[in-house]
Amino acid sequence: MSPVVSRPTRAGERLRRRPALAVSALLVVVGLVTAVPPVEAAAAASPVGSPVTGAAAVPASGGLTLRSMSPGVVTRGTDLTVTGVLAAGGAAMVAPRVSLVRGGSLLTTRQDVTDWSTASAPAAGAQLALATPTPRLASGGSIPFTLTVPAGTLRDSAPYGVLPVALEVTSDQGTTSVHTFVGWYARKEYEQLDLAVVAPVTLPADTSLYADDATVRARAWQRDLGSGSRLDRLLRGTDAPGAPVTWAVDPAVLGPGPSAPSGGSTGSGGPAPSPSPTSSPTSSPTSPTGDAGAQAPGATLPDPVTSAQQRLAARLRDGATRHPVWALPYADPDLAATLVSPSDPLVSAEIRRAGALGGQLGGAAVTTGIAWAVDGSLPSDREIGLRTAYGPGLRGALVSSSTLPGTSGFSATAPHLSPGGLPVVGWDDVMSSLTTRTRTVSDGVLATQELVAQTATLLGQSPGLNRSFLIAIPRSIDPSAQALSSMLTGLAAVPWVRMGSADDLVSAAVASGDPLTSVGASTWQVARPGLTPDLRRSVDGTRTAVEAVTTLLPRRSGELGLWQDSLDQVVSSRWRGQPAGPASLVGAAARWARTATTGIRVLSQDTNFLADEGILQVTVVNDLSEPVAGLVLRLSPSNPRLRVLQQPEAFPIAARSRATVRVRVQAVAAGLVPVTVSLRSSDGLPVGTSAQLNIRANPPGRTFYLASGAVLVLLLVVGVLRSVRRRRRPVSAP
């Protein structure tokens, strides 16, 4: 079954066509509805979805903003109360009436629920409640309303179930209708549904988290982890009473860890600070606990990146007492895109690094080895890839319910064994998608009531059997904390639902016994992978280049961790539908590696070499303000007239200085020999700026040596003869 997605309503389209009037209506609503708790402010700009708006900013339909429907499941002795705000658009509303009307549709299947929720025609049933808040609502104005359905008005012969209702606005402008549901409970004639929820605690698709500018990076971490961020709203929304949501945590939200070389595993302990490539740690106005002025005067304030990560670690550590915690692989790699090659060393290393999360959370109990591919598929080759990458630590996998076999009219329950014997837990596509409709309080109320209806129809499929289901909140969720919390609290209050732990579903899958005969193709809708095979291949080369730079320039070794961590993020699931993200990370690291050594260069020169064999001198200049260590010079003659007898050894250059390198060469024949001179690291990677030497080889040759020898012999003979003649000459008397 395809996931249910939220649909724009006609009033939402009308409001977008009139932004100025929408803003006016919002301001009036804020002034009038003083009893309603405030909704979170819009989140900072983030690549994941759009910012959350105030609940009254986007009417559900016909100028109607739904604030609450309580209770979500009525009994014989309870009133039903519906509250909201009625807003006029560009024209005044004359004699507006808000009513709750019972629908005539039968809700026996899950598709019936979907059909009723997507319909917008006025309901044909009895009117249950009516409110006439004002004789006339001026253009751009708004007014709150309350509808009360007395106990006993909503009746049904069934012992439990769900009733279709419509919230309708009627005025001189016509009638608009919003369809929703009310649960009904009279007596227990069923086995409760076991329901678990898992929420992904992951980073947004924000490349500025790994910017080389320390200030930009600090602002990004504070924005994406701090108060009002998407992650903050998700944690507050899932920390709902009575709903022990499992937090699936990407350890990367806490930084790379205390000792996390690329491709290795992190140790235990608290999160390590991200290296600052351009400066020393930036001052922060708050302490790691968030209390301003907690440090003594003159004390060095912590790096704001580290502070944000430490505050989140403390928050997760506290939440672990109420929530089961799963450790996703570091950086939450896109298993659906990277396990095409099961031996990918980067993904395997990130899987191993998940084990450090417990230490980062102060020894909290953490479950590892649960694979959660974003597309929900588990073909046989992927299962092989999972077993290879995870090794013996693989405990199970989450899959889409669309991959599980089911019979007509019955939804597949969550726990199973794959054909290969791997425990799998299928998330319910429809209910999981409904959690994303929590961007505003109004949308959350409607989605919550639809969830109630979905559970009622699930129960109706086989009320005498105890069955279990999983809601996997999509990674793309960008919720209002209030809306998400109300949804989970309302779900926990449904009489026929028993909230449990996702760990229990994994255990049930292990104990299920009979493997499935097949696992189908997933219909779970996800964006295309952001990681391409070509980009993945470039990661390793870029990583090596970065490491070479930090070897040559020891003062920049502190930047190595930042760039390694940046490249670790390239395989993350959060780049789905955003290919510019991972490409930007790789490009930034490659540019840094390339430009960091451009100040090291070889001087071009023209030289006459007048010997068969001798020393050629090459000048290397270091224009950088830091010393260079372990630089290697390599000469490559373009033709065989000149031969390099021995390439020079590695050498250092001081800051802003030059060095002369002596290279022994041999001239084989006369002529011009262009020689390319390149600089390399000790690992053989190109660095700096190469140059070309034009060597004019003029070896003396055999004739020159014979003639020179003859001349030397002649000179020697003449010298000997002159010496003999001098000795024979008689000595004259004084």
Side-chain angles (χ1 to χ4, degrees), residues 90-102:
M93 279 186 174
V94 178
R97 295 155 45 93
V98 182
S99 59
L100 187 68
V101 182
R102 181 164 177 171

Side-chain angles (χ1 to χ4, degrees), residues 497-518:
V497 168
R498 179 170 53 214
M499 301 296 289
S501 167
D503 284 321
D504 294 338
L505 297 184
V506 176
S507 299
V510 174
S512 59
D514 295 331
L516 298 171
T517 56
S518 64

Side-chain angles (χ1 to χ4, degrees), residues 655-676:
R656 301 194 183 281
S657 62
R658 60 180 59 193
T660 300
V661 183
R662 297 163 59 87
V663 186
R664 192 164 192 82
V665 298
Q666 181 184 46
V668 178
L672 181 65
V673 184
V675 178
T676 300

Side-chain angles (χ1 to χ4, degrees), residues 134-515:
T134 180
R136 185 178 185 276
L137 187 59
S139 171
S142 61
I143 190 169
F145 68 86
T146 299
L147 294 172
T148 300
V149 181
T153 305
L154 276 173
R155 294 189 301 272
D156 194 84
S157 59
Y160 63 88
V162 66
L163 309 175
V165 294
L167 195 61
E168 298 183 350
V169 178
T170 304
S171 69
D172 62 319
Q173 299 177 10
T175 300
T176 57
S177 179
V178 177
H179 287 196
T180 184
F181 309 88
V182 176
W184 163 261
Y185 174 77
R187 59 191 178 275
K188 184 178 183 298
E189 294 183 3
Y190 52 77
E191 291 292 330
Q192 282 182 301
L193 294 177
D194 286 321
L195 191 62
V197 181
V198 59
V201 182
T202 58
L203 290 171
D206 186 357
T207 57
S208 56
L209 291 169
Y210 304 93
D212 57 350
D213 185 287
T215 302
V216 173
R217 190 169 64 256
R219 288 173 179 169
W221 280 95
Q222 291 173 321
R223 178 182 66 239
D224 292 338
L225 268 62
S227 177
S229 66
R230 184 194 71 90
L231 195 56
D232 169 61
R233 287 181 274 113
L234 176 66
L235 290 176
R236 285 192 286 125
T238 53
D239 201 9
V245 176
T246 297
W247 285 344
V249 181
D250 173 6
V253 300
L254 303 179
S259 57
S262 174
S265 61
T266 57
S268 62
S274 296
S276 299
T278 57
S279 65
S280 60
T282 307
S283 297
S284 170
T286 58
S287 70
T289 59
D291 299 326
Q295 294 184 330
T300 301
L301 294 176
D303 175 12
V305 174
T306 308
S307 297
Q309 293 166 348
Q310 288 175 342
R311 286 192 293 269
L312 179 60
R315 184 174 186 177
L316 292 174
R317 184 164 55 247
D318 173 70
T321 62
R322 302 180 299 278
H323 300 270
V325 177
W326 288 357
L328 295 172
Y330 186 83
D332 186 26
D334 190 341
L335 302 177
T338 57
L339 285 180
V340 175
S341 174
S343 60
D344 188 326
L346 175 56
V347 174
S348 297
E350 293 184 336
I351 289 171
R352 292 192 299 272
R353 291 175 68 178
L357 180 63
Q360 290 177 292
L361 299 184
V366 172
T367 299
T368 60
I370 306 297
W372 184 0
V374 69
D375 67 348
S377 294
L378 190 67
S380 57
D381 59 342
R382 185 178 298 176
E383 181 173 340
I384 295 172
L386 288 175
R387 293 186 182 276
T388 303
Y390 277 82
L394 181 64
R395 296 189 61 225
L398 302 187
V399 297
S400 161
S401 61
S402 60
T403 67
L404 302 177
T407 57
S408 177
F410 288 85
S411 300
T413 55
H416 293 278
L417 286 177
S418 74
L422 178 67
V424 295
V425 177
W427 70 71
D428 187 87
D429 289 359
V430 176
M431 292 193 293
S432 298
S433 292
L434 284 172
T435 63
T436 64
R437 289 168 49 185
T438 50
R439 293 179 61 82
T440 68
V441 171
S442 182
D443 287 342
V445 172
L446 295 173
T448 300
Q449 293 308 114
E450 190 168 345
L451 263 179
V452 172
Q454 288 290 341
T455 60
T457 52
L458 276 173
L459 182 64
Q461 292 174 358
S462 185
L465 294 179
N466 174 245
R467 299 194 299 161
S468 53
F469 298 89
L470 175 68
I471 294 177
I473 297 177
R475 289 169 170 87
S476 59
I477 190 172
D478 189 11
S480 154
Q482 180 182 345
L484 183 57
S485 178
S486 297
M487 169 181 281
L488 295 173
T489 302
L491 195 58
V494 175
W496 51 82
V497 168
R498 179 170 53 214
M499 301 296 289
S501 167
D503 284 321
D504 294 338
L505 297 184
V506 176
S507 299
V510 174
S512 59
D514 295 331

